[in-house]
Every structure is written in structure tokens, then in C-alpha cells.
Amino acid sequence: MNKLPNTEQALVYLCLTGDENYKEIAPQLIDEHFSDETALKAFKVINAIMKDGKHPTFVTFGKYAQIDKQLTPQQISSVTQWGNELSYSEPINEYIAILKDEHIKRNINSILTEEALGLGKLRSGGETAVNIIKRLNTLIENGSPTDNIIIVTGK
């Protein structure tokens, strides 16, 4: 049996299957959830299709990808094959949760490193801890480690 596509590829593919999956999947994802460059470009094309009020299908995907020159013809072809091993009952919510979880894991280390180094700012240990906690909470709530951060400064 062939290996299933990775989670990013599976979600992109499921957005293009011609049914209403894209309405459930795409709004829950952000660019930062993607680590695979081709999957990210494909997701951006899907968002462009939806922004124009159209239904993302393999046909509209191919047209938009060629117009925007986001993907090469070889990449477009590979995207259409990502679902060859998928079934009709894929656990979409689990895939979305996995993708969000992987995004959080990728960002935890960078948050800790950035805050511990202070990036040129002299802060106390308490201030550093507060900033780390705020950024981690924001990451969990919003999917981004830098949204709505309030920097606590010393007296």
C-alpha cells in the first residue's frame, strides 16, 4: 500500500474535490499552518478562487494557478495526484487539528529563543516570562505567535 499524502497535501486536495469540503477546511487554516512550499502556494490559489466567489475545483485551480503563476505545470499536476490514496471518509477535522498542532510546535522553539535572547532589549526574567506566556497563549488562540502582543516594559 502506498503512503498517504501528508496532512497539508490531503487538506489542499480535499478542498479541490468538487464538493463542499472547502467551506469547512479553508476558513480554519492560515498560511502559517503550511510548511510545504507547494502546499502553501496551492492554498493561496484556493483562497484566491474563493475570494472571487468561485468554487475551488481542479479546473478552477489549474486556471488560477496558471494565471497567477504561483505553481509550475508540474506542481499543478502533482497537486491533482495528492489524493490518489485518500478515501471518501477522510477525518478532515483530525487533519486540521494535526496541521494546527504542527504549526504550534514549530513556533514554540522560536518564541522561547527570541524571548530568551531579548533581541536587543534588556528585560528582567519576570518580563521575559510574561512575554513568553503571552506569545504562547496568542499562538494557541490565534495561530500566530505575534498577534496582539502587549510588550511589558520596565519602569
Side-chain angles (χ1 to χ4, degrees):
M1 181 176 185
N2 292 336
K3 180 183 165 195
L4 286 175
N6 73 32
T7 304
E8 295 176 26
Q9 293 172 348
L11 288 171
V12 166
Y13 183 86
L14 290 168
C15 283
L16 298 170
T17 57
D19 55 21
E20 302 293 311
N21 283 337
Y22 74 96
K23 289 181 180 179
E24 178 183 345
I25 297 169
Q28 296 186 59
L29 303 176
I30 58 173
D31 292 353
E32 290 79 11
H33 288 149
F34 293 88
S35 61
D36 179 88
E37 184 178 331
T38 303
L40 172 60
K41 289 179 181 179
F43 179 67
K44 288 181 177 184
V45 171
I46 290 168
N47 279 334
I49 295 166
M50 291 171 46
K51 184 179 177 185
D52 286 349
K54 296 183 180 176
H55 188 120
T57 65
F58 291 111
V59 173
T60 57
F61 176 78
K63 289 178 182 178
Y64 272 71
Q66 287 179 333
I67 291 169
D68 294 345
K69 300 199 185 311
Q70 289 277 339
L71 298 161
T72 66
Q74 294 80 14
Q75 289 172 317
I76 295 168
S77 176
S78 89
V79 169
T80 64
Q81 296 173 24
W82 285 349
N84 287 348
E85 299 298 320
L86 296 177
S87 70
Y88 288 103
S89 60
E90 291 301 316
I92 293 173
N93 290 329
E94 288 179 37
Y95 285 172
I96 292 169
I98 289 168
L99 199 61
K100 289 179 177 182
D101 188 54
E102 290 301 315
H103 166 67
I104 288 170
K105 288 178 185 177
R106 284 192 307 268
N107 279 281
I108 288 173
N109 191 39
S110 67
I111 289 170
L112 294 175
T113 302
E114 289 171 11
E115 291 298 329
L117 294 176
L119 298 175
K121 298 176 185 172
L122 295 175
R123 291 191 213 136
S124 70
E127 290 172 326
T128 300
V130 166
N131 284 335
I132 289 171
I133 291 168
K134 284 181 181 180
R135 289 184 68 188
L136 289 174
N137 282 333
T138 302
L139 174 64
I140 291 168
E141 292 170 5
N142 304 331
S144 172
T146 57
D147 290 346
N148 304 319
I149 293 178
I150 298 171
I151 304 295
V152 177
T153 57
K155 295 179 180 179

PDB file of all heavy atoms in Angstrom, residues 20-54:
ATOM      1  N   GLU A  20     -18.379  20.316  -1.089  1.00  0.00           N
ATOM      2  CA  GLU A  20     -18.366  21.486  -0.211  1.00  0.00           C
ATOM      3  C   GLU A  20     -17.274  21.438   0.864  1.00  0.00           C
ATOM      4  O   GLU A  20     -17.302  22.242   1.792  1.00  0.00           O
ATOM      5  CB  GLU A  20     -19.743  21.630   0.458  1.00  0.00           C
ATOM      6  CG  GLU A  20     -20.889  21.771  -0.532  1.00  0.00           C
ATOM      7  CD  GLU A  20     -20.836  23.075  -1.316  1.00  0.00           C
ATOM      8  OE1 GLU A  20     -20.667  24.137  -0.705  1.00  0.00           O
ATOM      9  OE2 GLU A  20     -20.967  23.015  -2.554  1.00  0.00           O
ATOM     10  N   ASN A  21     -16.326  20.522   0.767  1.00  0.00           N
ATOM     11  CA  ASN A  21     -15.254  20.414   1.766  1.00  0.00           C
ATOM     12  C   ASN A  21     -14.520  21.729   1.985  1.00  0.00           C
ATOM     13  O   ASN A  21     -14.153  22.062   3.105  1.00  0.00           O
ATOM     14  CB  ASN A  21     -14.222  19.354   1.373  1.00  0.00           C
ATOM     15  CG  ASN A  21     -14.701  17.954   1.621  1.00  0.00           C
ATOM     16  OD1 ASN A  21     -15.569  17.717   2.438  1.00  0.00           O
ATOM     17  ND2 ASN A  21     -14.127  17.010   0.897  1.00  0.00           N
ATOM     18  N   TYR A  22     -14.300  22.468   0.912  1.00  0.00           N
ATOM     19  CA  TYR A  22     -13.521  23.696   1.017  1.00  0.00           C
ATOM     20  C   TYR A  22     -14.147  24.695   1.987  1.00  0.00           C
ATOM     21  O   TYR A  22     -13.438  25.454   2.650  1.00  0.00           O
ATOM     22  CB  TYR A  22     -13.312  24.342  -0.353  1.00  0.00           C
ATOM     23  CG  TYR A  22     -14.536  25.017  -0.921  1.00  0.00           C
ATOM     24  CD1 TYR A  22     -14.724  26.392  -0.764  1.00  0.00           C
ATOM     25  CD2 TYR A  22     -15.497  24.307  -1.626  1.00  0.00           C
ATOM     26  CE1 TYR A  22     -15.848  27.026  -1.290  1.00  0.00           C
ATOM     27  CE2 TYR A  22     -16.612  24.924  -2.148  1.00  0.00           C
ATOM     28  CZ  TYR A  22     -16.781  26.287  -1.974  1.00  0.00           C
ATOM     29  OH  TYR A  22     -17.883  26.913  -2.494  1.00  0.00           O
ATOM     30  N   LYS A  23     -15.481  24.672   2.102  1.00  0.00           N
ATOM     31  CA  LYS A  23     -16.162  25.601   3.016  1.00  0.00           C
ATOM     32  C   LYS A  23     -15.852  25.277   4.476  1.00  0.00           C
ATOM     33  O   LYS A  23     -15.886  26.160   5.321  1.00  0.00           O
ATOM     34  CB  LYS A  23     -17.671  25.573   2.788  1.00  0.00           C
ATOM     35  CG  LYS A  23     -18.093  26.204   1.486  1.00  0.00           C
ATOM     36  CD  LYS A  23     -19.598  26.162   1.337  1.00  0.00           C
ATOM     37  CE  LYS A  23     -20.038  26.800   0.034  1.00  0.00           C
ATOM     38  NZ  LYS A  23     -21.499  26.739  -0.126  1.00  0.00           N
ATOM     39  N   GLU A  24     -15.584  24.026   4.759  1.00  0.00           N
ATOM     40  CA  GLU A  24     -15.248  23.604   6.115  1.00  0.00           C
ATOM     41  C   GLU A  24     -13.755  23.759   6.383  1.00  0.00           C
ATOM     42  O   GLU A  24     -13.348  24.121   7.479  1.00  0.00           O
ATOM     43  CB  GLU A  24     -15.649  22.140   6.317  1.00  0.00           C
ATOM     44  CG  GLU A  24     -15.291  21.611   7.689  1.00  0.00           C
ATOM     45  CD  GLU A  24     -15.626  20.126   7.849  1.00  0.00           C
ATOM     46  OE1 GLU A  24     -16.377  19.579   7.039  1.00  0.00           O
ATOM     47  OE2 GLU A  24     -15.104  19.536   8.803  1.00  0.00           O
ATOM     48  N   ILE A  25     -12.935  23.482   5.394  1.00  0.00           N
ATOM     49  CA  ILE A  25     -11.486  23.410   5.598  1.00  0.00           C
ATOM     50  C   ILE A  25     -10.804  24.771   5.526  1.00  0.00           C
ATOM     51  O   ILE A  25     -10.121  25.188   6.471  1.00  0.00           O
ATOM     52  CB  ILE A  25     -10.849  22.456   4.560  1.00  0.00           C
ATOM     53  CG1 ILE A  25     -11.393  21.041   4.750  1.00  0.00           C
ATOM     54  CG2 ILE A  25      -9.329  22.477   4.671  1.00  0.00           C
ATOM     55  CD1 ILE A  25     -11.029  20.087   3.631  1.00  0.00           C
ATOM     56  N   ALA A  26     -10.940  25.461   4.418  1.00  0.00           N
ATOM     57  CA  ALA A  26     -10.163  26.675   4.158  1.00  0.00           C
ATOM     58  C   ALA A  26     -10.305  27.761   5.224  1.00  0.00           C
ATOM     59  O   ALA A  26      -9.292  28.353   5.621  1.00  0.00           O
ATOM     60  CB  ALA A  26     -10.496  27.227   2.772  1.00  0.00           C
ATOM     61  N   PRO A  27     -11.504  28.045   5.734  1.00  0.00           N
ATOM     62  CA  PRO A  27     -11.605  29.109   6.737  1.00  0.00           C
ATOM     63  C   PRO A  27     -10.862  28.816   8.044  1.00  0.00           C
ATOM     64  O   PRO A  27     -10.565  29.728   8.809  1.00  0.00           O
ATOM     65  CB  PRO A  27     -13.110  29.226   6.993  1.00  0.00           C
ATOM     66  CG  PRO A  27     -13.763  28.645   5.798  1.00  0.00           C
ATOM     67  CD  PRO A  27     -12.830  27.573   5.315  1.00  0.00           C
ATOM     68  N   GLN A  28     -10.565  27.551   8.302  1.00  0.00           N
ATOM     69  CA  GLN A  28      -9.884  27.188   9.541  1.00  0.00           C
ATOM     70  C   GLN A  28      -8.366  27.243   9.433  1.00  0.00           C
ATOM     71  O   GLN A  28      -7.664  27.059  10.423  1.00  0.00           O
ATOM     72  CB  GLN A  28     -10.287  25.772   9.973  1.00  0.00           C
ATOM     73  CG  GLN A  28     -11.759  25.653  10.314  1.00  0.00           C
ATOM     74  CD  GLN A  28     -12.074  24.284  10.860  1.00  0.00           C
ATOM     75  OE1 GLN A  28     -11.511  23.890  11.864  1.00  0.00           O
ATOM     76  NE2 GLN A  28     -12.965  23.574  10.190  1.00  0.00           N
ATOM     77  N   LEU A  29      -7.859  27.494   8.233  1.00  0.00           N
ATOM     78  CA  LEU A  29      -6.420  27.460   8.013  1.00  0.00           C
ATOM     79  C   LEU A  29      -5.869  28.842   7.683  1.00  0.00           C
ATOM     80  O   LEU A  29      -6.574  29.696   7.158  1.00  0.00           O
ATOM     81  CB  LEU A  29      -6.095  26.493   6.871  1.00  0.00           C
ATOM     82  CG  LEU A  29      -6.577  25.052   7.051  1.00  0.00           C
ATOM     83  CD1 LEU A  29      -6.266  24.235   5.813  1.00  0.00           C
ATOM     84  CD2 LEU A  29      -5.965  24.429   8.290  1.00  0.00           C
ATOM     85  N   ILE A  30      -4.597  29.020   8.010  1.00  0.00           N
ATOM     86  CA  ILE A  30      -3.870  30.241   7.642  1.00  0.00           C
ATOM     87  C   ILE A  30      -2.569  29.824   6.960  1.00  0.00           C
ATOM     88  O   ILE A  30      -2.133  28.669   7.083  1.00  0.00           O
ATOM     89  CB  ILE A  30      -3.580  31.123   8.886  1.00  0.00           C
ATOM     90  CG1 ILE A  30      -2.780  30.348   9.937  1.00  0.00           C
ATOM     91  CG2 ILE A  30      -4.871  31.686   9.467  1.00  0.00           C
ATOM     92  CD1 ILE A  30      -2.317  31.185  11.124  1.00  0.00           C
ATOM     93  N   ASP A  31      -1.975  30.749   6.251  1.00  0.00           N
ATOM     94  CA  ASP A  31      -0.738  30.444   5.528  1.00  0.00           C
ATOM     95  C   ASP A  31       0.323  29.830   6.428  1.00  0.00           C
ATOM     96  O   ASP A  31       1.051  28.936   6.021  1.00  0.00           O
ATOM     97  CB  ASP A  31      -0.172  31.713   4.877  1.00  0.00           C
ATOM     98  CG  ASP A  31      -1.036  32.236   3.747  1.00  0.00           C
ATOM     99  OD1 ASP A  31      -2.020  31.562   3.356  1.00  0.00           O
ATOM    100  OD2 ASP A  31      -0.727  33.336   3.246  1.00  0.00           O
ATOM    101  N   GLU A  32       0.408  30.322   7.664  1.00  0.00           N
ATOM    102  CA  GLU A  32       1.452  29.868   8.572  1.00  0.00           C
ATOM    103  C   GLU A  32       1.306  28.414   8.991  1.00  0.00           C
ATOM    104  O   GLU A  32       2.237  27.829   9.523  1.00  0.00           O
ATOM    105  CB  GLU A  32       1.501  30.770   9.816  1.00  0.00           C
ATOM    106  CG  GLU A  32       2.028  32.159   9.541  1.00  0.00           C
ATOM    107  CD  GLU A  32       1.003  33.104   8.910  1.00  0.00           C
ATOM    108  OE1 GLU A  32      -0.211  32.757   8.861  1.00  0.00           O
ATOM    109  OE2 GLU A  32       1.409  34.172   8.458  1.00  0.00           O
ATOM    110  N   HIS A  33       0.155  27.807   8.747  1.00  0.00           N
ATOM    111  CA  HIS A  33      -0.019  26.393   9.070  1.00  0.00           C
ATOM    112  C   HIS A  33       0.780  25.498   8.131  1.00  0.00           C
ATOM    113  O   HIS A  33       1.011  24.335   8.443  1.00  0.00           O
ATOM    114  CB  HIS A  33      -1.491  25.992   8.989  1.00  0.00           C
ATOM    115  CG  HIS A  33      -2.321  26.527  10.098  1.00  0.00           C
ATOM    116  ND1 HIS A  33      -3.653  26.839   9.946  1.00  0.00           N
ATOM    117  CD2 HIS A  33      -2.023  26.811  11.386  1.00  0.00           C
ATOM    118  CE1 HIS A  33      -4.137  27.283  11.089  1.00  0.00           C
ATOM    119  NE2 HIS A  33      -3.162  27.281  11.981  1.00  0.00           N
ATOM    120  N   PHE A  34       1.194  26.020   6.997  1.00  0.00           N
ATOM    121  CA  PHE A  34       1.845  25.207   5.976  1.00  0.00           C
ATOM    122  C   PHE A  34       3.360  25.315   6.048  1.00  0.00           C
ATOM    123  O   PHE A  34       3.915  26.409   6.098  1.00  0.00           O
ATOM    124  CB  PHE A  34       1.366  25.636   4.578  1.00  0.00           C
ATOM    125  CG  PHE A  34      -0.078  25.319   4.342  1.00  0.00           C
ATOM    126  CD1 PHE A  34      -1.067  26.222   4.711  1.00  0.00           C
ATOM    127  CD2 PHE A  34      -0.453  24.121   3.769  1.00  0.00           C
ATOM    128  CE1 PHE A  34      -2.404  25.933   4.514  1.00  0.00           C
ATOM    129  CE2 PHE A  34      -1.784  23.820   3.570  1.00  0.00           C
ATOM    130  CZ  PHE A  34      -2.774  24.723   3.935  1.00  0.00           C
ATOM    131  N   SER A  35       4.016  24.158   6.025  1.00  0.00           N
ATOM    132  CA  SER A  35       5.475  24.135   5.967  1.00  0.00           C
ATOM    133  C   SER A  35       5.956  23.684   4.592  1.00  0.00           C
ATOM    134  O   SER A  35       7.081  23.958   4.204  1.00  0.00           O
ATOM    135  CB  SER A  35       6.053  23.216   7.052  1.00  0.00           C
ATOM    136  OG  SER A  35       5.604  21.892   6.867  1.00  0.00           O
ATOM    137  N   ASP A  36       5.085  23.010   3.848  1.00  0.00           N
ATOM    138  CA  ASP A  36       5.406  22.551   2.499  1.00  0.00           C
ATOM    139  C   ASP A  36       5.134  23.693   1.512  1.00  0.00           C
ATOM    140  O   ASP A  36       4.013  24.205   1.446  1.00  0.00           O
ATOM    141  CB  ASP A  36       4.548  21.331   2.154  1.00  0.00           C
ATOM    142  CG  ASP A  36       4.793  20.813   0.758  1.00  0.00           C
ATOM    143  OD1 ASP A  36       5.692  19.976   0.592  1.00  0.00           O
ATOM    144  OD2 ASP A  36       4.086  21.277  -0.175  1.00  0.00           O
ATOM    145  N   GLU A  37       6.159  24.085   0.765  1.00  0.00           N
ATOM    146  CA  GLU A  37       6.041  25.260  -0.121  1.00  0.00           C
ATOM    147  C   GLU A  37       4.970  25.079  -1.196  1.00  0.00           C
ATOM    148  O   GLU A  37       4.190  25.995  -1.459  1.00  0.00           O
ATOM    149  CB  GLU A  37       7.392  25.551  -0.769  1.00  0.00           C
ATOM    150  CG  GLU A  37       7.391  26.798  -1.611  1.00  0.00           C
ATOM    151  CD  GLU A  37       8.762  27.096  -2.220  1.00  0.00           C
ATOM    152  OE1 GLU A  37       9.769  26.727  -1.619  1.00  0.00           O
ATOM    153  OE2 GLU A  37       8.783  27.712  -3.299  1.00  0.00           O
ATOM    154  N   THR A  38       4.904  23.912  -1.791  1.00  0.00           N
ATOM    155  CA  THR A  38       3.904  23.680  -2.833  1.00  0.00           C
ATOM    156  C   THR A  38       2.493  23.693  -2.250  1.00  0.00           C
ATOM    157  O   THR A  38       1.580  24.264  -2.840  1.00  0.00           O
ATOM    158  CB  THR A  38       4.175  22.354  -3.566  1.00  0.00           C
ATOM    159  OG1 THR A  38       5.504  22.390  -4.114  1.00  0.00           O
ATOM    160  CG2 THR A  38       3.184  22.128  -4.688  1.00  0.00           C
ATOM    161  N   ALA A  39       2.321  23.087  -1.083  1.00  0.00           N
ATOM    162  CA  ALA A  39       1.000  23.092  -0.435  1.00  0.00           C
ATOM    163  C   ALA A  39       0.585  24.517  -0.076  1.00  0.00           C
ATOM    164  O   ALA A  39      -0.580  24.884  -0.234  1.00  0.00           O
ATOM    165  CB  ALA A  39       1.014  22.208   0.809  1.00  0.00           C
ATOM    166  N   LEU A  40       1.534  25.336   0.388  1.00  0.00           N
ATOM    167  CA  LEU A  40       1.229  26.729   0.707  1.00  0.00           C
ATOM    168  C   LEU A  40       0.796  27.487  -0.542  1.00  0.00           C
ATOM    169  O   LEU A  40      -0.208  28.205  -0.529  1.00  0.00           O
ATOM    170  CB  LEU A  40       2.439  27.420   1.346  1.00  0.00           C
ATOM    171  CG  LEU A  40       2.308  28.930   1.558  1.00  0.00           C
ATOM    172  CD1 LEU A  40       1.130  29.268   2.459  1.00  0.00           C
ATOM    173  CD2 LEU A  40       3.604  29.495   2.117  1.00  0.00           C
ATOM    174  N   LYS A  41       1.529  27.332  -1.632  1.00  0.00           N
ATOM    175  CA  LYS A  41       1.164  28.012  -2.877  1.00  0.00           C
ATOM    176  C   LYS A  41      -0.216  27.556  -3.353  1.00  0.00           C
ATOM    177  O   LYS A  41      -1.024  28.368  -3.809  1.00  0.00           O
ATOM    178  CB  LYS A  41       2.216  27.750  -3.953  1.00  0.00           C
ATOM    179  CG  LYS A  41       3.526  28.464  -3.709  1.00  0.00           C
ATOM    180  CD  LYS A  41       4.528  28.133  -4.800  1.00  0.00           C
ATOM    181  CE  LYS A  41       5.857  28.813  -4.581  1.00  0.00           C
ATOM    182  NZ  LYS A  41       6.826  28.469  -5.640  1.00  0.00           N
ATOM    183  N   ALA A  42      -0.479  26.259  -3.242  1.00  0.00           N
ATOM    184  CA  ALA A  42      -1.784  25.731  -3.654  1.00  0.00           C
ATOM    185  C   ALA A  42      -2.891  26.310  -2.774  1.00  0.00           C
ATOM    186  O   ALA A  42      -3.963  26.673  -3.270  1.00  0.00           O
ATOM    187  CB  ALA A  42      -1.772  24.211  -3.584  1.00  0.00           C
ATOM    188  N   PHE A  43      -2.634  26.425  -1.471  1.00  0.00           N
ATOM    189  CA  PHE A  43      -3.618  27.003  -0.553  1.00  0.00           C
ATOM    190  C   PHE A  43      -3.883  28.469  -0.916  1.00  0.00           C
ATOM    191  O   PHE A  43      -5.030  28.914  -0.880  1.00  0.00           O
ATOM    192  CB  PHE A  43      -3.115  26.872   0.890  1.00  0.00           C
ATOM    193  CG  PHE A  43      -4.038  27.448   1.915  1.00  0.00           C
ATOM    194  CD1 PHE A  43      -5.278  26.880   2.161  1.00  0.00           C
ATOM    195  CD2 PHE A  43      -3.675  28.566   2.646  1.00  0.00           C
ATOM    196  CE1 PHE A  43      -6.134  27.414   3.115  1.00  0.00           C
ATOM    197  CE2 PHE A  43      -4.517  29.105   3.604  1.00  0.00           C
ATOM    198  CZ  PHE A  43      -5.758  28.532   3.834  1.00  0.00           C
ATOM    199  N   LYS A  44      -2.859  29.207  -1.281  1.00  0.00           N
ATOM    200  CA  LYS A  44      -3.042  30.602  -1.690  1.00  0.00           C
ATOM    201  C   LYS A  44      -3.893  30.695  -2.958  1.00  0.00           C
ATOM    202  O   LYS A  44      -4.719  31.605  -3.092  1.00  0.00           O
ATOM    203  CB  LYS A  44      -1.689  31.281  -1.894  1.00  0.00           C
ATOM    204  CG  LYS A  44      -0.967  31.560  -0.590  1.00  0.00           C
ATOM    205  CD  LYS A  44       0.363  32.253  -0.836  1.00  0.00           C
ATOM    206  CE  LYS A  44       1.037  32.593   0.489  1.00  0.00           C
ATOM    207  NZ  LYS A  44       2.287  33.350   0.302  1.00  0.00           N
ATOM    208  N   VAL A  45      -3.707  29.771  -3.876  1.00  0.00           N
ATOM    209  CA  VAL A  45      -4.523  29.751  -5.091  1.00  0.00           C
ATOM    210  C   VAL A  45      -5.982  29.463  -4.725  1.00  0.00           C
ATOM    211  O   VAL A  45      -6.898  30.113  -5.222  1.00  0.00           O
ATOM    212  CB  VAL A  45      -3.988  28.720  -6.110  1.00  0.00           C
ATOM    213  CG1 VAL A  45      -4.955  28.544  -7.276  1.00  0.00           C
ATOM    214  CG2 VAL A  45      -2.611  29.133  -6.623  1.00  0.00           C
ATOM    215  N   ILE A  46      -6.208  28.515  -3.835  1.00  0.00           N
ATOM    216  CA  ILE A  46      -7.569  28.192  -3.389  1.00  0.00           C
ATOM    217  C   ILE A  46      -8.221  29.422  -2.755  1.00  0.00           C
ATOM    218  O   ILE A  46      -9.382  29.733  -3.029  1.00  0.00           O
ATOM    219  CB  ILE A  46      -7.551  26.995  -2.412  1.00  0.00           C
ATOM    220  CG1 ILE A  46      -7.198  25.717  -3.167  1.00  0.00           C
ATOM    221  CG2 ILE A  46      -8.893  26.854  -1.690  1.00  0.00           C
ATOM    222  CD1 ILE A  46      -6.860  24.531  -2.280  1.00  0.00           C
ATOM    223  N   ASN A  47      -7.472  30.137  -1.934  1.00  0.00           N
ATOM    224  CA  ASN A  47      -8.012  31.361  -1.316  1.00  0.00           C
ATOM    225  C   ASN A  47      -8.350  32.415  -2.362  1.00  0.00           C
ATOM    226  O   ASN A  47      -9.349  33.124  -2.230  1.00  0.00           O
ATOM    227  CB  ASN A  47      -7.038  31.919  -0.276  1.00  0.00           C
ATOM    228  CG  ASN A  47      -7.145  31.208   1.052  1.00  0.00           C
ATOM    229  OD1 ASN A  47      -8.184  30.658   1.382  1.00  0.00           O
ATOM    230  ND2 ASN A  47      -6.075  31.213   1.813  1.00  0.00           N
ATOM    231  N   ALA A  48      -7.532  32.536  -3.402  1.00  0.00           N
ATOM    232  CA  ALA A  48      -7.810  33.497  -4.477  1.00  0.00           C
ATOM    233  C   ALA A  48      -9.100  33.126  -5.209  1.00  0.00           C
ATOM    234  O   ALA A  48      -9.906  34.007  -5.548  1.00  0.00           O
ATOM    235  CB  ALA A  48      -6.632  33.555  -5.459  1.00  0.00           C
ATOM    236  N   ILE A  49      -9.295  31.851  -5.443  1.00  0.00           N
ATOM    237  CA  ILE A  49     -10.525  31.380  -6.099  1.00  0.00           C
ATOM    238  C   ILE A  49     -11.737  31.739  -5.237  1.00  0.00           C
ATOM    239  O   ILE A  49     -12.740  32.265  -5.729  1.00  0.00           O
ATOM    240  CB  ILE A  49     -10.464  29.853  -6.337  1.00  0.00           C
ATOM    241  CG1 ILE A  49      -9.355  29.508  -7.337  1.00  0.00           C
ATOM    242  CG2 ILE A  49     -11.814  29.320  -6.816  1.00  0.00           C
ATOM    243  CD1 ILE A  49      -8.999  28.033  -7.384  1.00  0.00           C
ATOM    244  N   MET A  50     -11.638  31.450  -3.944  1.00  0.00           N
ATOM    245  CA  MET A  50     -12.755  31.732  -3.031  1.00  0.00           C
ATOM    246  C   MET A  50     -12.990  33.229  -2.900  1.00  0.00           C
ATOM    247  O   MET A  50     -14.141  33.663  -2.802  1.00  0.00           O
ATOM    248  CB  MET A  50     -12.467  31.104  -1.664  1.00  0.00           C
ATOM    249  CG  MET A  50     -12.510  29.586  -1.687  1.00  0.00           C
ATOM    250  SD  MET A  50     -11.940  28.774  -0.167  1.00  0.00           S
ATOM    251  CE  MET A  50     -12.756  29.689   1.099  1.00  0.00           C
ATOM    252  N   LYS A  51     -11.936  34.016  -2.902  1.00  0.00           N
ATOM    253  CA  LYS A  51     -12.072  35.474  -2.800  1.00  0.00           C
ATOM    254  C   LYS A  51     -12.890  36.016  -3.974  1.00  0.00           C
ATOM    255  O   LYS A  51     -13.635  36.986  -3.828  1.00  0.00           O
ATOM    256  CB  LYS A  51     -10.686  36.129  -2.760  1.00  0.00           C
ATOM    257  CG  LYS A  51     -10.722  37.613  -2.561  1.00  0.00           C
ATOM    258  CD  LYS A  51      -9.325  38.197  -2.496  1.00  0.00           C
ATOM    259  CE  LYS A  51      -9.392  39.701  -2.371  1.00  0.00           C
ATOM    260  NZ  LYS A  51      -8.067  40.313  -2.413  1.00  0.00           N
ATOM    261  N   ASP A  52     -12.737  35.381  -5.128  1.00  0.00           N
ATOM    262  CA  ASP A  52     -13.508  35.784  -6.309  1.00  0.00           C
ATOM    263  C   ASP A  52     -14.919  35.185  -6.316  1.00  0.00           C
ATOM    264  O   ASP A  52     -15.644  35.309  -7.306  1.00  0.00           O
ATOM    265  CB  ASP A  52     -12.768  35.378  -7.586  1.00  0.00           C
ATOM    266  CG  ASP A  52     -11.574  36.263  -7.871  1.00  0.00           C
ATOM    267  OD1 ASP A  52     -11.430  37.319  -7.217  1.00  0.00           O
ATOM    268  OD2 ASP A  52     -10.758  35.897  -8.753  1.00  0.00           O
ATOM    269  N   GLY A  53     -15.289  34.515  -5.218  1.00  0.00           N
ATOM    270  CA  GLY A  53     -16.628  33.959  -5.117  1.00  0.00           C
ATOM    271  C   GLY A  53     -16.855  32.705  -5.932  1.00  0.00           C
ATOM    272  O   GLY A  53     -17.996  32.329  -6.203  1.00  0.00           O
ATOM    273  N   LYS A  54     -15.775  32.041  -6.311  1.00  0.00           N
ATOM    274  CA  LYS A  54     -15.900  30.828  -7.114  1.00  0.00           C
ATOM    275  C   LYS A  54     -15.619  29.602  -6.265  1.00  0.00           C
ATOM    276  O   LYS A  54     -15.012  29.680  -5.211  1.00  0.00           O
ATOM    277  CB  LYS A  54     -14.945  30.892  -8.302  1.00  0.00           C
ATOM    278  CG  LYS A  54     -15.279  32.017  -9.257  1.00  0.00           C
ATOM    279  CD  LYS A  54     -14.387  32.022 -10.453  1.00  0.00           C
ATOM    280  CE  LYS A  54     -14.799  33.187 -11.360  1.00  0.00           C
ATOM    281  NZ  LYS A  54     -13.919  33.310 -12.488  1.00  0.00           N
TER     282      LYS A  54
END
